[in-house]
Amino acid sequence: MTIRRHPDPVPNGPNFGVLNSGHMTGPVQAAPFSENATQTNQITNEAVDKARDSIADLRRRLEELRGQHPEADRALRDLDMIVPRLDEPAREPGTLRYMLQNLVERCGGIPGLVAAAQLVQSTVVALLPGS
C-alpha cells in the first residue's frame, strides 16, 4: 500500500481554514494554519437586559450581606467597575473577563452567592466578542 503525502494547505484568502461541519451553532473554529478568521457577535437589547438584571440581583444580595462579609464590599466595587463597560463590551474584553473572574472568586467566599456571580459572568461574557 502506497501512502501519499499531501502537501500542507496554502492559504488562498480571508478566512481560509475555517472548519465548518455543516452544523455550526457556536463560534467559528479556525484551523491552526488559518488567517484572518473573525467572528461577529450580534448583541441584542435582550442580552444586555439579561446582563443588567443579573447584576442588579447580585448587587441587591451583596448589599444585604454588607458588613457580614468583608468580600461583599469588594464584590460591590467590582460590579461598579463592570457596569459602565456594558455599554461597550467589545472595547476591553480581556479586562472585563478578568474583572468577572475576580467577581466570581470574591463571591465564592460568601455562602449562597457563587451561582449569582456565575450568572453575572455568563450573561456579560455573552456580550463579548469571541476570543
Side-chain angles (χ1 to χ4, degrees):
M1 173 194 277
T2 304
I3 297 177
R4 283 194 212 171
R5 168 106 172 102
H6 294 283
D8 289 335
V10 177
N12 60 1
N15 295 323
F16 173 78
V18 173
L19 305 177
N20 182 349
S21 65
H23 302 287
M24 289 186 76
T25 58
V28 172
Q29 177 184 356
F33 53 81
S34 66
E35 293 182 356
N36 301 325
T38 60
Q39 174 186 350
T40 303
N41 286 3
Q42 299 298 324
I43 299 173
T44 64
N45 288 339
E46 183 181 346
V48 174
D49 290 343
K50 284 183 182 181
R52 291 190 190 281
D53 290 345
S54 66
I55 288 171
D57 177 58
L58 180 59
R59 181 180 301 281
R60 179 187 53 76
R61 294 169 77 177
L62 284 166
E63 287 173 351
E64 290 173 1
L65 296 171
R66 206 177 223 170
Q68 297 175 25
H69 296 278
E71 291 296 311
D73 284 327
R74 292 183 189 110
L76 284 166
R77 283 193 296 273
D78 288 344
L79 285 177
D80 289 340
M81 293 189 316
I82 290 168
V83 170
R85 287 173 165 80
L86 293 180
D87 295 330
E88 288 186 79
R91 187 169 179 200
E92 296 179 80
T95 302
L96 196 48
R97 282 187 179 91
Y98 180 76
M99 289 179 192
L100 290 164
Q101 185 59 40
N102 282 343
L103 177 70
V104 170
E105 289 174 10
R106 288 190 204 288
C107 291
I110 305 171
L113 285 189
V114 73
Q118 288 172 332
L119 179 61
V120 168
Q121 183 181 37
S122 66
T123 57
V124 173
V125 166
L127 304 175
L128 301 178
S131 50

